[in-house]
Every structure is written in C-alpha cells, then in structure tokens.
Amino acid sequence: MSQAASNLVHTVSGTGTSADDPSSAPTRIAISGAGKKYGELQVFKDINLTFGNGEIVTVVGPSGCGKTTLLRCIDGLIPLSEGEVKIEGSPINGPREGVAMVFQHFGLFPWKTVYQNVAYGLKLARHPAAEIKEKVPYFINLVGLSGFETAFPYQLSGGMQQRCGLARALAMEPHVLLMDEPFAAVDAQTREILQFELLKIWELRPLTMVFVTHSIEEAVLMGHRVVVLKGRPSGVHEVIDVDLPAPRDRGTLGHPRFTEVREHVWSTLMDEVRAAEFEV
Amino acid sequence: MTQPVANTAVPQPGPLYRLQQKFASTSVAAKIVAGLLILVAWELGVTFFAPKFVARPTNIIAVFPDVITEPEFIEATLSTLFAVLQGLLIALVSGTIIGIAMGRVKVFDRLLNVYINGFYTMPMIAVLPLLTIWFGYEDSARLATIVFAAFFSIAINARDGARSVPPEYLEVARAYRARQRDVWFDITFMSSLPYLVAGFRLAAGRALVGAVIAEFFVSLPGLGMYILSHTRSFAHNEAVVGVLMLAAFGLLFEATMNGVMRRFFPWYRREDRKD
C-alpha cells in the first residue's frame, strides 16, 4: 500500500481513531470491531470508527463493499455479527430515538400526502398534536416543499420526493442523521442542488451526519472526513480529513484542495472499482 | 440495393383503422349508436325468426314502467340487493382479515392456503344443495351462498397483497420505530389496497351470481326467483326487466367503487402514471 499521500491523509489501523481526530468534539457514534457476515460471506470486518458531534463523515467504497449494510447496522435495522456500535454511549440493538435515516429509495408512503409523510415519525413517537402541527410545516418549508403539503408522492419529482424524505427525518430532530446514498436516484442537476441545500440546512442545524455514497465527488464535497472502505471482506482503508474551508458551496468544487483529495480517493479506489465491475 | 431504412419505417394505419379510432374516441355517442343497433337487430330478429313469446325491445319498454313500480318487483330487488350487500360485507371483513393474516403469518398460510385455493376454484353451485339443507330453505341459505361465493376471491387477493408489501415500506416503518399494530393497519393494509380492490370487484360479481342461483334453488322472493317464475309463466318481457336490474347492480357497483376510490384513495392507481 503506497503511503506517499499528502499529510492530510492518514491511514487508520486498529482502534485508536479518536486520538487524532482534529475536531476533538465529543464522540457521538463509536464503532468498535464491527463485522457483518451473511452466512459464509463476510461483508466487512474489524471496523473501528468514531464520529464526533456535528461532524459530517462520508463513506465511499466500491459497490458491494457493505457501506449501506454498515449504515443499517449503525441504525440498528440489522444486527452486527461482531463488535458493537455505541451511540451516545449506549449500544445499539435496534432503531432508537435521536437517530434518523434517509433512504436511497426515498421510502415515502404513496397513500400519504407530503404533510402526512413528514409527520409519520412524529406521530409514531406520539408527539402532541399541537407540536406536530407546528413542526411539520417548519420542516416542509426548510426543505423547500412549501405549497406541496397536500401533494401525494406520485405528483412529485424524484428530487422533491427526497426533499420530503429528508424533511421526515429532520422533523424527528435527530442528533444523528444517516444518509443512505440519498441522491443516487435523483438526476444529476437536481443532485447538485440538493447537495448544496443539504449543506445549508446543516449550517443551520449542525448534526452528526453519516453519509454513504458511491460518488467520490459527493463524498469529498460533503464530508469533513471521508472514510474509504476497501478489500474483501472490506475494512477501513483510509480516513481522510478534508480540510476545505467552510461553508462548502459551489466554489468548493473549484478549490485546488478539493481536486487533490478527490484524485487521491479516486486513485485509491480505482483498482478495487475495476475489480468489482468485472466480478459477477 | 434496396434501402434498409424502408423496412424499419413505422407502418401507417389504414383508413379503416383511423375510422375506428375516431369512432371509439367519441365514446358516449358511439355507445348509444351501438346500443341502438343491437336493439334494432334484436327487434327484427325476433319479429321474423322467433316465436311470439320471446321478449323484444319494444315490448320490454312497454312493460318497463309497470314492472319497476310493481310491489312484487321492488320487494324482489331490495331483497336481492340487501342479501348481496350483507354477504359482501361479511366476506369482505372476514376475507381481508384471514387473507392478510395468511400473507403475513407463515403458519396461517401453511394451514389454509390449500383449502382456500381449492374452494376458490370449486364451482359454488356444487355446495348449494348442501347449504340449503344445512341452513334450511330460507334467507340464511342464500346469504351463506353469497358469502361462500365472495369470500375466497377476497381472501386470496388479500393474501397476495399482504405478501407483496414492498420491503422498503417495512424498513422505513422499522427505522421510525413503528409498533406492530401500526405496521398492520397502516403499512400492510394500505399497501395491499390495490389487491383488496381487485379481489372485491371479483367477489361482487361472484356474489351476484351466488344470490341468483340460491334464489332459483331456494325459491326466495328475490330477483332470481322473479326472473324464474316470470320465465316459466311466459311473461318474458317482465323477466328481462329483472335481468336488466341485475345488470344495473353491476354498473351501480362499479360507479360506487370508482367514486369511493377517487374520494378516499386519490393516490390509488396513480403511481404508475408518472413518467
């Protein structure tokens, strides 16, 4: 493994990841010794990561490397085979309060309006009606869907559907937002718009975000740190600090550092991506 | 060399096809014209080729006002209508519950699937003699026949609907910590709805058949019996009014279903309309 990369890149091995965390924020999520097996197939193993308070961490890797599986394990939707995930100190064994997820497939219910979809989590958590009435329009407005409260998902474009999915998650006012390739099913232009809008929303309401994507560009643009998963079974190959100036906006894309990090991640992943493409 | 392009050209529709399209697009007028043509053909056919007692449109129209104001006919219509509605309601509730339970709980499916499918394909008329003995020659035998006719198509469709709940919906429900009850009533039921509607449509037709056959057998004062007795006494024009009333039930049912779906489930059938 070539380790000639610039000083902003440092390879993580074993456990001690939080020691050199420059944000030095209190730990929100701690993953230790995490592994997942499906029968004989080991998807990933020995993953140790910590995510700080209000940090955006993106996870990239070739398809099939288990990045989405890892995210589902963090949410507690599926159990780990080895190791554990702790959020705010307590181990995860199922979806919990304070953690919300945004899905690649949007996961909107076609029989519910935008309003009802956004209110879904709040209703299930038995929030008082008055509170729901106040919060839902606020979050609908925050994601730019005002005026579409009574629309059904079939009446919305893909981008608008994901805005609705995002509002549903944000309405839970989570400390941790898990994003599972949220913009993968959205067209390229809409995707760019949504990326910047998400960054703006994060500026307003900074929360810990774990953002899984297969777009290297997206990973570098959004992430304060980029976690690169690689190998069979996959593990954490590198954790890259992306020291780009805040706030991130369109100008970030032209920053020389952005190009530098993007190229670095690309060259790291290229061999693996090639291999994955030709493997059936 | 011949141009290969010529082979890939889209074939132009002929003039007959275009005329057809034009005619089909003016739907209401086309329907009325078609209906009138059928009536004229019927009238002429009976006049020239059939015995005197065969019903014909002009005679049916002549007796129509008398028949539909006749107390016997009104009673028969209401009797059949209420029996069908009652039976459908029983079949709908029980079929939906049992079907969804089969779809979501493996044990129920293993236990019941063979029987539900077997009874569904079996002609209901085969059990009618038994039902008349078990329930007696009265209303309850007809109701049992209707329920028997309607139940299985509802249960089978409800089962298929519950089995085909997209896993994404269940995942979202779990991620937002839905309780089991919420999953059943909100996710499973709502996402099965298209299947339930299809099953219910099928069941309504079968229920009507069941009601008429039961009335033939059991001699209950319903439309089936009305049709049978008037046919036997050679009042065929009156009998046809009874038949038309049954057809009207079907149309009424469709219209009601469409109205209910539009009003309460506006999202239904719209999902695939997106480009």
Side-chain angles (χ1 to χ4, degrees):
Chain A
M1 174 167 61
S2 95
Q3 196 45 57
S6 62
N7 60 353
L8 59 87
V9 172
H10 45 112
T11 306
V12 175
S13 56
T15 39
T17 51
S18 52
D20 48 13
D21 181 358
S23 64
S24 73
T27 300
R28 188 64 85 175
I29 308 172
I31 305 172
S32 50
K36 180 68 187 171
K37 265 186 197 165
Y38 284 112
E40 288 295 293
L41 177 73
Q42 180 99 39
V43 185
F44 55 78
K45 68 183 241 190
D46 200 28
I47 288 183
N48 300 287
L49 289 165
T50 54
F51 304 130
N53 220 342
E55 190 186 20
I56 304 179
V57 179
T58 51
V59 180
V60 279
S63 17
C65 75
K67 49 194 189 300
T68 291
T69 307
L70 176 64
L71 199 70
R72 278 171 167 65
C73 291
I74 296 174
D75 196 43
L77 281 170
I78 44 179
L80 283 168
S81 310
E82 303 128 23
E84 67 170 0
V85 176
K86 277 185 174 173
I87 294 182
E88 286 150 12
S90 54
I92 289 298
N93 41 29
R96 51 159 283 178
E97 210 191 331
V99 181
M101 188 145 170
V102 175
F103 298 88
Q104 181 184 354
H105 54 67
F106 312 146
L108 300 180
F109 299 118
W111 54 87
K112 291 185 193 293
T113 61
V114 167
Y115 187 97
Q116 291 165 333
N117 268 297
V118 174
Y120 182 68
L122 294 173
K123 277 215 169 122
L124 284 179
R126 300 241 168 90
H127 286 248
E131 191 193 318
I132 294 176
K133 236 176 166 173
E134 194 187 300
K135 275 187 186 168
V136 172
Y138 171 80
F139 285 100
I140 288 176
N141 184 49
L142 187 68
V143 300
L145 275 184
S146 286
F148 291 94
E149 287 84 354
T150 56
F152 286 95
Y154 78 90
Q155 296 167 310
L156 305 178
S157 67
M160 289 162 88
Q161 291 189 37
Q162 193 56 299
R163 284 168 190 268
C164 184
L166 181 63
R168 176 175 63 186
L170 290 173
M172 302 303 290
E173 297 182 273
H175 307 143
V176 175
L177 191 59
L178 304 174
M179 308 285 275
D180 176 24
E181 305 194 26
F183 308 140
V186 175
D187 67 85
Q189 285 94 46
T190 309
R191 179 179 194 146
E192 284 188 28
I193 292 168
L194 290 177
Q195 285 167 352
F196 293 115
E197 283 197 27
L198 180 62
L199 285 169
K200 267 189 214 143
I201 289 171
W202 181 87
E203 299 279 339
L204 280 173
R205 318 173 62 85
L207 38 67
T208 305
M209 203 190 297
V210 184
F211 193 110
V212 164
T213 177
H214 56 237
S215 158
I216 291 168
E217 192 137 324
E218 185 169 78
V220 178
L221 172 69
M222 308 286 300
H224 301 153
R225 288 190 298 157
V226 178
V227 173
V228 182
L229 295 184
K230 200 175 154 177
R232 292 263 156 161
S234 63
V236 177
H237 177 71
E238 274 187 301
V239 178
I240 302 159
D241 286 323
V242 186
D243 53 352
L244 284 162
R248 312 265 176 103
D249 51 26
R250 278 205 63 81
T252 309
L253 295 171
H255 203 285
R257 208 50 166 257
F258 174 80
T259 320
E260 195 183 332
V261 179
R262 189 192 62 199
E263 287 313 305
H264 174 79
V265 177
W266 169 242
S267 56
T268 309
L269 280 177
M270 192 168 63
D271 297 344
E272 193 100 354
V273 172
R274 286 242 169 87
E277 187 188 348
F278 290 102
E279 184 181 308
V280 181
Chain B
M1 282 232 30
T2 47
Q3 294 281 83
V5 182
N7 294 334
T8 59
V10 179
Q12 284 297 307
L16 192 68
Y17 176 79
R18 262 177 285 143
L19 192 72
Q20 253 179 8
Q21 286 300 99
K22 203 175 169 189
F23 193 66
S25 63
T26 58
S27 60
V28 178
K31 278 172 195 162
I32 292 172
V33 170
L36 286 175
L37 282 176
I38 292 168
L39 291 180
V40 169
W42 179 1
E43 184 79 29
L44 293 175
V46 173
T47 313
F48 293 115
F49 305 110
K52 248 187 140 42
F53 58 80
V54 174
R56 62 172 78 177
T58 47
N59 292 347
I60 295 165
I61 292 164
V63 300
F64 191 81
D66 289 338
V67 172
I68 60 162
T69 50
E70 185 188 0
E72 187 201 350
F73 183 80
I74 294 171
E75 198 193 318
T77 304
L78 292 178
S79 168
T80 303
L81 186 63
F82 283 129
V84 168
L85 291 179
Q86 201 185 347
L88 270 178
L89 190 70
I90 295 170
L92 183 65
V93 173
S94 57
T96 303
I97 291 171
I98 291 174
I100 288 185
M102 282 171 69
R104 302 292 337 159
V105 187
K106 267 216 173 81
V107 185
F108 286 132
D109 200 39
R110 293 251 169 83
L111 290 173
L112 296 174
N113 197 13
V114 156
Y115 303 105
I116 300 261
N117 275 302
F119 277 116
Y120 174 65
T121 45
M122 192 193 69
M124 72 189 113
I125 194 167
V127 290
L128 190 52
L130 288 171
L131 291 179
T132 55
I133 303 296
W134 294 344
F135 289 91
Y137 280 82
E138 49 187 289
D139 281 2
S140 48
R142 174 174 63 184
L143 187 62
T145 313
I146 294 168
V147 172
F148 189 85
F151 172 81
F152 297 102
S153 55
I154 291 174
I156 284 177
N157 276 275
R159 168 186 176 270
D160 289 348
R163 279 168 73 100
S164 57
V165 176
E168 295 94 62
Y169 296 167
L170 299 173
E171 184 180 46
V172 172
R174 215 167 107 58
Y176 284 91
R177 304 196 298 153
R179 287 163 291 268
Q180 202 57 38
R181 184 169 52 90
D182 300 312
V183 174
W184 277 76
F185 285 99
D186 195 9
I187 314 296
T188 307
F189 179 76
M190 291 305 274
S191 94
S192 308
L193 200 70
Y195 289 82
L196 294 175
V197 170
F200 190 54
R201 284 214 156 95
L202 211 60
R206 290 169 64 102
L208 211 52
V209 173
V212 171
I213 292 176
E215 287 166 7
F216 286 172
F217 251 85
V218 188
S219 305
L220 290 169
L223 274 178
M225 190 56 210
Y226 183 91
I227 293 165
L228 188 68
S229 62
H230 283 79
T231 305
R232 286 184 176 159
S233 55
F234 287 93
H236 286 193
N237 297 309
E238 286 79 357
V240 171
V241 177
V243 173
L244 291 176
M245 188 51 97
L246 287 173
F249 280 6
L251 293 177
L252 188 74
F253 175 81
E254 273 302 306
T256 313
M257 281 295 281
N258 289 338
V260 167
M261 295 314 286
R262 253 199 298 276
R263 171 75 182 77
F264 295 102
F265 308 103
W267 53 273
Y268 173 72
R269 278 203 178 161
R270 304 276 171 82
E271 274 171 279
D272 45 11
R273 235 180 264 174
K274 203 172 48 187
D275 295 336

